[in-house]
Amino acid sequence: MVEGSMTQGAGQEPVVRTATLRDFRVPPYAQTPVPPQTPGATPHPSLPPRTPEQHAPAPAQHAPPPPAPHAPVPPHTPAPPHAPAPPHLPHPGNAAVADEPPEGYTPTERDLPVINRGDTVKMQTVPEPRPVTEEGRGPLFVVGDVHGYLDELVAALAAQGLIDAEGNWAAGNARLWFLGDFTDRGPDGIGVIDLVMRLSAEAAAAGGYCKALMGNHELLLIGAKRFADTPVNSGAGTATFQAAWLLNGGQKSDMDRLQDVHLQWMSRLDAVVEEDGHLLMHSDTTAYLDYGSTIEDVNDTITAILTRNDADECWDLFRKLTKRFAFRDEGGADAVRELMATYGGQRVVHGHSPIPYLLGEVGTEDGENGSGPVVNGPHVYADGLAIAMDGGVTMAGKLLVVQLPLHD
């Protein structure tokens, strides 16, 4: 692990990266879910309601939230049929408004539908004790792009025994990494962030950890909130974060519920980490090399850019981390090797580019007879050096939660 960077979401003070970053102290605001700002809003049905006592300030920084009775989760109901989408959907990428597309950059439809999956299945998972790996660390898991699909995330985490039927951390000293892109396109991005923040506190109290990387949609949401319609310089004139956010599936309900604690947490996420020989990053691009020759340098540089709060500088960062497909075609394995030669690791694990598009399987949102793209698991490619984790949940694919190492 890289020393010298700042604990994710720690405190409310200005960003100062210190050697205590990796001790994962639990911030008080992460010990209970953040209540929505929208008047009359209710918790997401995937997660149980909290008692008033659970919204009180936590008595100790390392203590987990007090237990409380939870209402039963309603049984699953089938999702309603979806309207057919055009037969040739463009790649669900990340569009930049009035900008010259960089190489490997692909736009998205403005109105990608929100897929309503119905009520969450009640989970009766009783996980077995997790094995302890070398140095007393628990097993390592990674999560692909979530994009606001909280129901699917809860179900996938429960299927791996990482949370219990009530949505609480149940994996002891296991290690869990989210690869970024929590919001946009799906119905409850803020609910996803709240869940990850809460699980971070609960996992730390249990001797494990739950952490997250910076995705390009985190940069987009931060920019839309901070800069709104402020014009930014681009390769083909002017653009705005607000317009780009809407173009890329921004949800008004997320913006309405976005709070300072969410912005602070997102702004302090690392962009690259190395775990057990796996180089974890959000985007399948070599653009990270523009920000430093070590993992620590990259993370410090990106945090400093967000701290300076300069719209043009943040826009340039967003544009570079929307690039994709660097590992897919001829020369892809060499691009992976270049990253690993610089930052370490034996395999790159990333999200960002949906697996059906890496495979060239272009389908519709619903697919024939209501079935979506067939995604059975991660995609190993680039001479076995890269693992893609975006299962295409926004196109009725699969939200992936996978234990590493992954064998072909």
Side-chain angles (χ1 to χ4, degrees), residues 61-81:
Q61 197 173 32
H62 290 277
H70 302 288
V73 179
H76 179 74
T77 55

Side-chain angles (χ1 to χ4, degrees), residues 324-335 357-358 381-382:
R324 61 175 82 247
F325 299 150
F327 316 145
R328 185 184 65 173
D329 300 319
E330 184 178 358
D334 289 337
Y357 289 88
L358 286 168
Y381 67 118

Side-chain angles (χ1 to χ4, degrees), residues 13 19 73 82 169-170 174 204 211 221 256 265 267 283 285 287 327 332 335 337 375 393 405:
E13 300 300 321
V73 179
H82 309 298
W169 181 260
K211 298 188 66 183
L221 183 58
D256 289 343
W265 181 79
S267 297
S283 302
T285 179
F327 316 145
R337 291 186 181 97
V375 177
V393 66

Side-chain angles (χ1 to χ4, degrees), residues 37-224:
Q37 289 182 319
T38 307
T42 58
H44 193 281
S46 295
L47 298 175
R50 298 283 167 168
T51 64
E53 289 79 7
Q54 287 177 298
H55 290 283
Q61 197 173 32
H62 290 277
H70 302 288
V73 179
H76 179 74
T77 55
H82 309 298
H88 299 292
L89 271 179
H91 184 280
N94 306 105
V97 179
D99 209 351
E100 184 67 26
E103 182 180 355
Y105 171 90
T106 48
T108 184
E109 284 286 296
R110 178 182 295 275
D111 297 316
L112 286 177
V114 171
I115 302 172
N116 181 8
R117 304 297 180 121
D119 294 332
T120 303
V121 177
K122 183 176 181 180
M123 279 110 14
Q124 301 297 334
T125 304
V126 180
E128 297 180 358
R130 291 286 175 185
V132 175
T133 61
E134 60 178 343
E135 300 179 9
R137 297 175 298 177
L140 174 64
F141 292 82
V142 290
V143 185
D145 300 37
V146 182
H147 281 300
Y149 286 88
L150 181 57
D151 285 358
E152 286 78 358
L153 175 60
V154 169
L157 291 174
Q160 289 284 5
L162 294 166
I163 61 174
D164 61 22
E166 295 178 338
N168 300 313
W169 181 260
N173 67 344
R175 297 168 290 156
L176 178 62
W177 274 102
F178 285 81
L179 298 181
D181 278 9
F182 301 105
T183 67
D184 303 336
R185 301 193 180 121
D188 195 1
I190 298 302
V192 170
I193 292 176
D194 284 341
L195 174 62
V196 177
M197 291 171 66
R198 177 169 61 81
L199 290 179
S200 296
E202 294 177 358
Y209 60 75
C210 168
K211 298 188 66 183
L213 292 180
M214 173 78 70
N216 60 303
H217 280 260
E218 280 68 66
L219 294 170
L220 190 55
L221 183 58
I222 291 168

Side-chain angles (χ1 to χ4, degrees), residues 8-24:
Q8 292 185 359
Q12 308 279 344
E13 300 300 321
V15 175
V16 177
R17 291 183 170 262
T18 69
T20 62
L21 170 63
R22 303 301 180 184
D23 63 5
F24 299 102

